Amino acid sequence: MIEKLEQQFQAKIDAEVKIEPKDWMPEKYRKTLIRQISQHAHSEVVGMLPEGNWITRAPSLRRKIALVAKVQDEAGHGLYLYSAAETLGAERDDLLDQLHTGKAKYSSIFNYPATTWADMGAIGWLVDGAAIMNQVMLTRASYGPYARAMVRICKEESFHQRQGYEILLTLCRGTEIQKQMAQDSLNRWWWPSLMMFGPNDAESTHSAQSMAWKIKRKSNDELRQAFVDATVPQAKILGITIPDPDLKWNEERGHYDFGEIDWAEFWNVVKGNGPCNRQRIEDRKKAYEKGAWVRDAAVAYAEKREQRKAASKAKVA
Amino acid sequence: MKNWPLWEIFVRSKAGLSHKHFGSLHAADEAMAIENARDVYCRRNEGVSIWVVKSEHITASDPADADPLFEPAKDKVYRHPTFYVLPDEVGHM
Ligand SMILES: [Fe+2]
Ligand SMILES: [Fe+2]
């Protein structure tokens, strides 16, 4: 029986029919999706922290409103994704708990600090740029609510990347010191951005099943290569240098070759030992705990209004 | 979020179009659901009107019953205009 259901399920996916919340699905598909979608949601939410750090120090009102709008978008992205995970039966509180206790991961890139204003440029350009590669692929994911959330997210992301690139462009056309600041930022964010695509295909554990289920449609290495190919010409326009001596155009492949990623660093940050892991989780927990009274007050207010409505109805009757 | 019910959000993107399901969110009551829907789904002029419905008030057909449920419509070709054969000189009808 279950085998037959599984075959029908796979046949649907092979025929590009979307899976919707109430449809039958293998338990493992459900679990894998909850894990992937909630970790994606956590990444959006934790991703607000490095940028939030610079809102009060933005160099102009124009930069400030753009940054506020971007950070607000990321909060929205988190919400779309938590909602998508909830359609699979996950509880929001459980998901948040998993983030706060370290049971669930989020993108490791957000465990690096944003130490200069130029980092607001590099994050928009590179980090959002890398996220876009992944998210464009996910607009075609087999699970309907996830794919639809991705369509909304992708519409908003291009503003993020453009505002970041514009920040760097302005610095690169400024004084020598400003240009150096942009270069320093690229030096620090380049490699962690490449790591965002995850381990090399040969090392990637979940990939084959996720590909068959079409909750992933391109391999880590394919996406990483597409990102490098798109980004190198953009760095040239900025006039800053990507910190990789092995980076060069490969005529035969029609792609850029690039150097080996420091996987020891990658795994170290994944395991919790990056520069900001502890601080990020602390900040999220603090925000959640400090917001408890707001959540309680909203419930109390809603109850009071409900009672008043009932009372005035009773009077009329 | 356990005390905040889940709401389904429907947005009319412009006058003349019907409300369309945009997604869901948690809110303490209907007023907050509308405000949150504005902030979550309408930050870029996506809408001119919002409906919010508590998710628990929606009754859905069972996807497992989709075949028998929709089967009655499947063999009724005579409900479609192309079923009726008219000479070419009638033109568009
Ligand atoms: Fe985002
Ligand atoms: Fe973004």
Side-chain angles (χ1 to χ4, degrees), chain A residues 40-145:
Chain A
H40 195 159
H42 299 329
S43 303
E44 302 285 350
V45 170
V46 177
M48 291 190 281
L49 296 171
E51 291 176 306
N53 185 32
W54 280 92
I55 288 174
T56 55
R57 290 177 284 164
S60 69
L61 183 60
R62 184 177 186 274
R63 293 295 182 211
K64 187 171 181 163
I65 50 174
L67 192 55
V68 170
K70 180 192 189 284
V71 171
Q72 192 186 11
D73 274 355
E74 306 300 4
H77 297 176
L79 277 169
Y80 305 154
L81 288 160
Y82 284 128
S83 300
E86 284 172 288
T87 63
L88 291 157
E91 273 283 346
R92 179 84 60 98
D93 293 284
D94 296 340
L95 300 178
L96 293 180
D97 196 56
Q98 287 164 8
L99 171 66
H100 297 158
T101 55
K103 235 184 102 192
K105 300 268 176 249
Y106 53 88
S107 181
S108 272
I109 191 84
F110 302 118
N111 291 317
Y112 290 86
T115 52
T116 70
W117 171 251
D119 290 358
M120 294 306 97
I123 289 176
W125 175 38
L126 300 174
V127 177
D128 288 76
I132 290 170
M133 286 285 165
N134 188 40
Q135 291 175 155
V136 166
M137 165 188 82
L138 291 170
T139 59
R140 293 166 59 236
S142 60
Y143 188 57

Side-chain angles (χ1 to χ4, degrees), chain A residues 227-298:
Chain A
F227 174 73
V228 171
D229 290 348
T231 311
V232 173
Q234 296 163 352
K236 277 193 191 130
I237 295 169
L238 291 173
I240 46 182
T241 313
I242 289 173
D244 179 358
D246 297 324
L247 186 76
K248 60 171 186 300
W249 178 252
N250 183 326
E251 193 65 53
E252 223 170 277
R253 291 200 311 126
H255 292 290
Y256 283 95
D257 289 337
F258 53 96
E260 188 57 40
I261 288 168
D262 181 353
W263 293 111
E265 175 184 327
F266 172 78
W267 289 113
N268 194 40
V269 181
V270 169
K271 286 187 181 120
N273 305 317
C276 301
N277 295 56
R278 264 167 288 263
Q279 188 195 333
R280 298 292 185 236
I281 293 299
E282 275 318 302
D283 287 348
R284 280 316 313 158
K285 269 164 60 181
K286 234 197 312 184
Y288 187 74
E289 282 155 17
K290 281 192 174 166
W293 74 270
V294 180
R295 295 191 294 278
D296 293 343

Side-chain angles (χ1 to χ4, degrees), chain A residues 113-227:
Chain A
T115 52
T116 70
W117 171 251
D119 290 358
M120 294 306 97
I123 289 176
W125 175 38
L126 300 174
V127 177
D128 288 76
I132 290 170
M133 286 285 165
N134 188 40
Q135 291 175 155
V136 166
M137 165 188 82
L138 291 170
T139 59
R140 293 166 59 236
S142 60
Y143 188 57
Y146 191 28
R148 292 193 286 274
M150 280 304 131
V151 171
R152 302 188 60 81
I153 286 176
C154 284
K155 271 189 201 153
E156 300 177 350
E157 285 293 352
S158 95
F159 138 62
H160 299 178
Q161 196 181 20
R162 287 173 69 104
Q163 68 89 37
Y165 192 74
E166 196 198 67
I167 289 173
L168 289 180
L169 204 57
T170 308
L171 290 173
C172 288
R173 288 174 179 172
T175 64
E176 197 44 46
I177 292 173
Q178 285 174 317
K179 195 169 175 184
Q180 273 169 22
M181 194 195 264
Q183 179 66 59
D184 161 69
S185 188
L186 173 59
N187 292 348
R188 284 179 292 108
W189 290 94
W190 175 253
W191 291 105
S193 299
L194 293 195
M195 293 177 198
M196 282 176 72
F197 298 97
N200 285 133
D201 294 350
E203 319 290 329
S204 184
T205 40
H206 307 295
S207 283
Q209 181 61 77
S210 292
M211 290 275 211
W213 278 336
K214 296 188 181 164
I215 50 186
K216 192 170 168 65
R217 284 175 177 264
K218 285 181 182 167
S219 77
N220 295 355
D221 287 333
E222 266 178 279
L223 288 167
R224 189 165 16 239
Q225 181 71 61
F227 174 73

Side-chain angles (χ1 to χ4, degrees), chain B residues 47-81:
Chain B
V48 294
S49 158
I50 298 173
W51 286 353
V52 300
V53 183
K54 259 191 198 165
S55 307
E56 63 184 27
H57 291 157
I58 290 182
T59 308
S61 63
D62 185 346
D65 296 339
D67 277 344
L69 187 65
F70 297 108
E71 195 271 332
K74 281 197 181 129
D75 57 354
K76 313 248 178 339
V77 280
Y78 49 86
R79 286 177 176 171
H80 297 275

